[in-house]
Amino acid sequence: MAAPEQPPPEGSKPLSGLLGGIAQAAYYGNADITEELLRGQLYPETAPEEFHALRAKMGGLLQSIASADMDLNQLDAFLTAQTKKQGGITSDQAAVIAKFWKNHRMKIHESLINQSRWDNFLKNMNWRVDLKSQSRHIDQINTPVAIVEMELGKKGQESEFLCLEFDEAKVSQMLKKLSEIEESMTLLTQTT
Amino acid sequence: MVRALEALDVGSVADKINLIPQDFFAELCEQIIQHLNHKIPGINTAELCQRIQTSGVEINVGDLAKIATIISFLFSTAARNNLSTEELVTTLGNAVSALPKHAVQVIRHVWNEQGESISVSEDARNMATVGQFVDIKWKLGVAMSSDTCRSLKYPYVTVTLKVADPSGQITDRSFEMTIPQFKNFFRQFKEMAAVLETV
């Protein structure tokens, strides 16, 4: 067997691209980004097995970082430890990873959140206000009502449209309850 | 009306009606006529069914809903035709021979007491294309971890809307919202209130 090749050039562009490609496949649901594609585009001089090892290492690091949703302090400590390890990363690589995470953290975290939303959620909402011109009861004529259409559904499934009528009293009732939710939410963000 | 009742196949539910104890059947008819009179937003079929089942009677929500629909049709048609109590009972008897005696008694009583006050317009049917909002329940949760992410820490609101569908049946509809979605939801209702006030 030939002597091992020199490690691939560690210019920030290829590694950054690699991390992007890994994220595309793992977090943004892009199945077209294969290992072969990445190697050809970013590391054409690297042998397949070596590239495979690099991709696996970087993928593992990114997964650890994303799973812990690391803030800058945690990230710094983590990456520093990785540079000190046997078979770890270089400080140049650490810098590229840190920059990548700073730019993509929110989007990756959101994607992870979405991966665990399995219940019905509110996809969209529209409304209009009608004037009731006909009614079963004479006293309801010319009262304004809000017609609300809510699009509900589970991730990746067909939506269900819920169409509801609210008169002024019902809207007040709703607002009261929504205020309660908002209050609870404020308390929650204050204590965490 | 006799033909309509026959078409609805009231006979098929007669034996189901027979299963329901008289006081529960009376409660059902009361709710139906109150709904037709706009005193209540809908008929709590699911809740009533649960209580009937607890009393030891085997009946499912689907059957109870079918019964409710038929009785509702019966009362609203009778209202449209201005039937007196005796006329209603006679018509019922002509269409459905198998209806249990206690059920007929309940129908007679409920119609006698409250049938007069039902005012049904020709366009009543067209009105009911949307559901009525009845109530809202909520809870606020935080998803801490998942199999794909150890540190999710994402707050979300779960809301259950109690709605009365066009036929009057009350059902629950639940869904989740993220914080930004909730804020948007809240804002939309505030806008709605503002518009309703000015119209």
Side-chain angles (χ1 to χ4, degrees):
Chain A
M1 203 168 154
E5 290 178 359
Q6 289 289 356
E10 281 309 307
S12 56
K13 268 207 180 130
L15 182 57
S16 201
L18 175 59
L19 292 169
I22 293 171
Q24 281 289 328
Y27 306 113
Y28 306 148
N30 196 337
D32 294 333
I33 311 286
T34 61
E35 191 166 294
E36 248 320 291
L37 183 73
L38 289 172
R39 188 181 76 87
Q41 297 248 325
L42 304 164
Y43 291 84
E45 309 291 302
T46 313
E49 318 84 61
E50 222 183 300
F51 180 73
H52 179 77
L54 178 66
R55 189 199 189 281
K57 178 152 76 175
M58 292 301 149
L61 290 175
L62 191 55
Q63 193 174 321
S64 297
I65 296 169
S67 185
D69 193 32
M70 291 187 191
D71 61 26
L72 292 181
N73 289 331
Q74 291 167 312
L75 184 68
D76 195 41
F78 177 74
L79 289 175
T80 309
Q82 290 296 321
T83 56
K84 301 210 160 88
K85 261 170 71 168
Q86 266 281 18
I89 57 178
T90 68
S91 45
D92 284 340
Q93 286 174 318
V96 173
I97 296 172
K99 186 165 173 211
F100 181 82
W101 181 244
K102 279 179 206 159
N103 288 334
H104 288 252
R105 178 185 180 187
M106 233 167 80
K107 204 167 161 203
I108 291 181
H109 192 68
E110 226 180 89
S111 152
L112 285 169
I113 287 173
N114 284 330
Q115 279 179 26
S116 59
R117 294 181 83 186
W118 307 306
D119 292 317
N120 256 357
F121 64 93
L122 183 65
K123 293 186 182 179
N124 200 11
M125 176 177 149
N126 294 307
W127 60 273
R128 68 170 198 269
V129 170
D130 279 3
L131 216 48
K132 262 195 163 145
S133 56
Q134 290 174 323
S135 171
R136 292 178 188 174
H137 272 200
I138 229 88
D139 52 296
Q140 275 182 27
I141 288 184
N142 284 335
T143 42
V145 279
I147 312 282
V148 182
E149 182 187 74
M150 294 181 226
E151 185 181 353
L152 305 176
K154 300 191 184 187
K155 187 175 53 138
Q157 283 182 16
E158 252 188 63
S159 302
E160 187 204 331
F161 288 87
L162 182 62
C163 199
L164 298 178
E165 196 180 87
F166 292 76
D167 60 19
E168 221 171 325
K170 293 263 164 75
V171 173
S172 294
Q173 185 187 348
M174 184 64 121
L175 285 176
K176 184 157 166 274
K177 286 288 174 91
L178 296 180
S179 292
E180 287 173 12
I181 300 176
E182 192 178 53
E183 248 181 71
S184 274
M185 237 181 245
T186 315
L187 275 170
L188 182 70
T189 50
Q190 276 174 2
T191 54
T192 51
Chain B
M1 175 148 157
V2 176
R3 260 196 305 272
L5 282 177
E6 281 171 351
L8 264 184
D9 201 16
V10 182
S12 72
V13 294
D15 38 338
K16 290 273 154 68
I17 293 179
N18 205 13
L19 289 175
I20 307 176
Q22 185 168 11
D23 43 358
F24 282 123
F25 185 70
E27 208 185 314
L28 179 65
C29 290
E30 274 291 330
Q31 279 198 37
I32 291 170
I33 217 160
Q34 280 185 26
H35 168 63
L36 289 171
N37 271 331
H38 297 273
K39 295 220 180 90
I40 56 173
I43 304 145
N44 240 321
T45 335
E47 192 262 339
L48 187 60
C49 189
Q50 201 159 49
R51 280 193 286 133
I52 296 176
Q53 283 169 347
T54 311
S55 79
V57 175
E58 282 198 32
I59 187 168
N60 64 48
V61 181
D63 286 334
L64 197 63
K66 188 170 179 205
I67 294 171
T69 309
I70 289 175
I71 304 282
S72 189
F73 172 77
L74 182 76
F75 284 147
S76 56
T77 311
R80 234 192 313 270
N81 292 309
N82 280 314
L83 295 186
S84 71
T85 313
E86 283 319 311
E87 283 170 334
L88 172 61
V89 173
T90 313
T91 314
L92 197 57
N94 290 339
V96 191
S97 50
L99 208 55
K101 226 163 140 192
H102 72 263
V104 179
Q105 268 177 358
V106 167
I107 291 172
R108 162 184 278 148
H109 176 80
V110 168
W111 185 254
N112 213 19
E113 301 278 299
Q114 301 178 62
E116 308 273 298
S117 44
I118 301 180
S119 54
V120 186
S121 80
E122 284 309 310
D123 303 293
R125 248 201 217 154
N126 300 332
M127 288 296 300
T129 50
V130 295
Q132 291 280 328
F133 165 74
V134 178
D135 198 10
I136 170 177
K137 293 188 287 206
W138 60 270
K139 80 171 181 240
L140 180 62
V142 179
M144 295 303 291
S145 273
S146 75
D147 59 330
T148 50
C149 184
R150 227 184 56 225
S151 180
L152 265 181
K153 290 206 219 129
Y154 116 82
Y156 62 95
V157 180
T158 308
V159 149
T160 300
L161 299 180
K162 224 176 186 62
V163 308
D165 70 23
S167 74
Q169 317 274 12
I170 294 190
T171 54
D172 282 345
R173 297 291 231 277
S174 297
F175 57 90
E176 279 181 16
M177 284 185 274
T178 61
I179 304 300
Q181 281 179 326
F182 166 76
K183 291 199 157 132
N184 180 47
F185 192 73
F186 196 3
R187 189 178 46 83
Q188 305 253 33
F189 275 93
K190 284 185 191 159
E191 279 177 27
M192 243 180 267
V195 174
L196 282 172
E197 239 179 275
T198 59
V199 165

